Amino acid sequence: MAVLKVHGSPISTATQRVLVTIIEKGLEYDLLFVNLAEGEHKREPFISLNPFGQVPAFEDGDLKLFESRAITQYIAHDYASSGTPLISFEKMPVMVNWMEVEAHHFEPVASVLGWELVYKPMFGMTTDAAAVEENEAKLATVLDVYEKRLGQSKYLGGDEFTLADLHHLPYLNCLMGTPTKKIFESRPCVSAWSQDILARPSWAKVLDLQKH
Amino acid sequence: MAVLKVHGSPISTATQRVLVTIIEKGLEYDLLFVNLAEGEHKREPFISLNPFGQVPAFEDGDLKLFESRAITQYIAHDYASSGTPLISFEKMPVMVNWMEVEAHHFEPVASVLGWELVYKPMFGMTTDAAAVEENEAKLATVLDVYEKRLGQSKYLGGDEFTLADLHHLPYLNCLMGTPTKKIFESRPCVSAWSQDILARPSWAKVLDLQKH
């Protein structure tokens, strides 16, 4: 079996999404560091791996992929018998529905809040308070839907932890270090769910990679 | 076999995405009209089907889904033996990668252009020229990647028409009636691909539904 190759950076949320999937699966991998500060993701040889000039890129033997959620789905399906299942074959359509919710309702809002509250201060830029207020209101509406769903099943896709939950980890973690965490904490089912999935040992290992 | 139920409107791009999938599959369906002008999508009974208050919602017997791309994937997988395959089992990871490109690179830009150039004028609102300029520049960058890809294979996922192409149809059609079409037409492979997929009889049937 080829060792999986992840080209990226442990500070990138999309790279984190791929790494936590591989670690949940207990698979061997090499993390090939792409220096974002030096713009390595915007030039060759990297853009031959990801033509949009964004991390990560992924290789498994001859197969090359670059969208983080396509990579996680490939790993979950093609290494189905290793580690945590991460997909529910029985409830696949429902799991996919909630994966789409993450992509089209959660991330567009969470990524703006992450940019304003975490990444802009990190780069010495000024947070736009109006953008924070607007997106916190949108997030509250999204999490009201999550609260109802998580009152019916322990995880978004059903009673097992799947990619539908896992895909949230990078931005959940990012926002838990900001005042926006109150929007999660004020909803009991959302709060229990986010604490549960953030406590997975695989996620601690991803965070550890940022220390090196 | 239960008749599939689609709750939505033929003017909604997400509803169109589901309808063209069902028509490609040759399946029977009922389109249950949701009156967007009267806000039926924002109240019961509709929001019990889609908690985000957006069309479409979908039922196949007891199964209820509401994210358009989750619905198309369900139909393509669970009705694999009917009509057009729409998925490439052999090249699944690559097809999924390009489905993710549509969702995260094409639609975020195309939907802003569609809003500014088609829907705002329809509602008597003023188009924001700066937003158009900014998003046309982004679209050009995205379509440069498509041009290279479509120089290598006839369709995005490989040599067959799949969901990776189909998911583009609603916004492709929308933008082809605006000045933005020049960005597609100036790229030979993108132009041939968009003409090819817009000419599918299934798409003509979706457009016909808007006349009733």
Side-chain angles (χ1 to χ4, degrees), chain B residues 4-10 15 19 29-33 209:
Chain B
L4 308 180
K5 290 184 189 170
V6 181
H7 304 256
S9 164
T15 305
L19 293 173
Y29 71 99
D30 283 334
L31 175 57
L32 296 120
F33 183 67
L209 291 171

Side-chain angles (χ1 to χ4, degrees), chain A residues 7-8 32-57, chain B residues 148:
Chain A
H7 304 256
L32 296 119
F33 182 67
V34 179
N35 193 323
L36 304 178
E38 293 190 0
E40 282 181 0
H41 53 312
K42 298 296 182 191
R43 57 177 189 259
E44 294 293 0
F46 184 77
I47 56 164
S48 283
L49 290 169
N50 184 339
F52 291 102
Q54 295 171 347
V55 288
Chain B
K148 191 168 176 191

Side-chain angles (χ1 to χ4, degrees), chain A residues 43-71:
Chain A
R43 57 177 189 259
E44 294 293 0
F46 184 77
I47 56 164
S48 283
L49 290 169
N50 184 339
F52 291 102
Q54 295 171 347
V55 288
F58 172 84
E59 295 179 87
D60 185 0
D62 291 338
L63 178 69
K64 297 178 203 300
L65 301 171
F66 56 83
E67 284 289 324
S68 67
R69 295 171 185 81
I71 299 165

Side-chain angles (χ1 to χ4, degrees), chain A:
Chain A
M1 190 173 77
V3 172
L4 308 181
K5 289 184 190 170
V6 180
H7 304 256
S9 163
I11 65 159
S12 134
T13 53
T15 305
Q16 290 166 4
R17 189 175 289 123
V18 169
L19 293 173
V20 70
T21 303
I22 294 173
I23 294 168
E24 284 282 351
K25 284 288 177 189
L27 301 170
E28 286 184 65
Y29 71 99
D30 282 336
L31 174 57
L32 296 119
F33 182 67
V34 179
N35 193 323
L36 304 178
E38 293 190 0
E40 282 181 0
H41 53 312
K42 298 296 182 191
R43 57 177 189 259
E44 294 293 0
F46 184 77
I47 56 164
S48 283
L49 290 169
N50 184 339
F52 291 102
Q54 295 171 347
V55 288
F58 172 84
E59 295 179 87
D60 185 0
D62 291 338
L63 178 69
K64 297 178 203 300
L65 301 171
F66 56 83
E67 284 289 324
S68 67
R69 295 171 185 81
I71 299 165
T72 63
Q73 289 178 72
Y74 163 71
I75 294 167
H77 285 271
D78 272 53
Y79 293 93
S81 60
S82 303
T84 313
L86 297 183
I87 40 179
S88 163
F89 285 105
E90 201 182 320
K91 296 192 173 176
M92 184 83 86
V94 172
M95 182 194 81
V96 173
N97 193 74
W98 287 93
M99 283 167 58
E100 292 289 325
V101 168
E102 182 276 331
H104 296 282
H105 297 273
F106 180 79
E107 168 148 323
V109 174
S111 63
V112 174
L113 290 166
W115 170 243
E116 293 293 341
L117 295 168
V118 178
Y119 293 102
K120 270 182 152 184
M122 196 186 291
F123 301 139
M125 299 163 74
T126 306
T127 296
D128 177 344
V132 171
E133 189 179 355
E134 180 189 337
N135 283 281
E136 283 195 337
K138 287 183 185 172
L139 181 64
T141 304
V142 172
L143 293 186
D144 282 342
V145 175
Y146 279 45
E147 183 67 12
K148 191 168 177 192
R149 172 67 184 163
L150 293 167
Q152 296 161 343
S153 60
K154 187 173 179 190
Y155 296 100
L156 290 173
D159 291 324
E160 306 296 330
F161 175 76
T162 68
L163 289 182
D165 310 291
L166 178 147
H167 286 178
H168 291 77
L169 280 168
Y171 277 111
L172 262 186
N173 181 75
C174 178
L175 295 176
M176 284 303 160
T178 74
T180 300
K181 75 174 176 181
K182 66 183 180 293
I183 302 175
F184 296 88
E185 288 177 348
S186 59
R187 291 165 175 80
C189 298
V190 168
S191 184
W193 166 78
S194 67
Q195 283 177 46
D196 177 22
I197 69 175
L198 284 166
R200 293 186 76 86
S202 60
W203 184 248
K205 288 180 185 169
V206 171
L207 294 181
D208 272 348
L209 290 171
Q210 296 181 21
K211 296 176 186 160
H212 301 298

Side-chain angles (χ1 to χ4, degrees), chain B residues 168-212:
Chain B
H168 291 77
L169 280 168
Y171 277 111
L172 262 185
N173 180 75
C174 178
L175 295 176
M176 283 304 160
T178 74
T180 300
K181 75 174 178 181
K182 66 182 181 292
I183 302 175
F184 295 89
E185 288 178 346
S186 60
R187 291 166 174 78
C189 298
V190 167
S191 183
W193 166 79
S194 66
Q195 284 179 47
D196 177 21
I197 69 175
L198 285 166
R200 294 187 75 88
S202 60
W203 184 248
K205 288 180 186 169
V206 171
L207 295 181
D208 272 349
L209 291 171
Q210 296 181 22
K211 295 177 187 159
H212 303 297

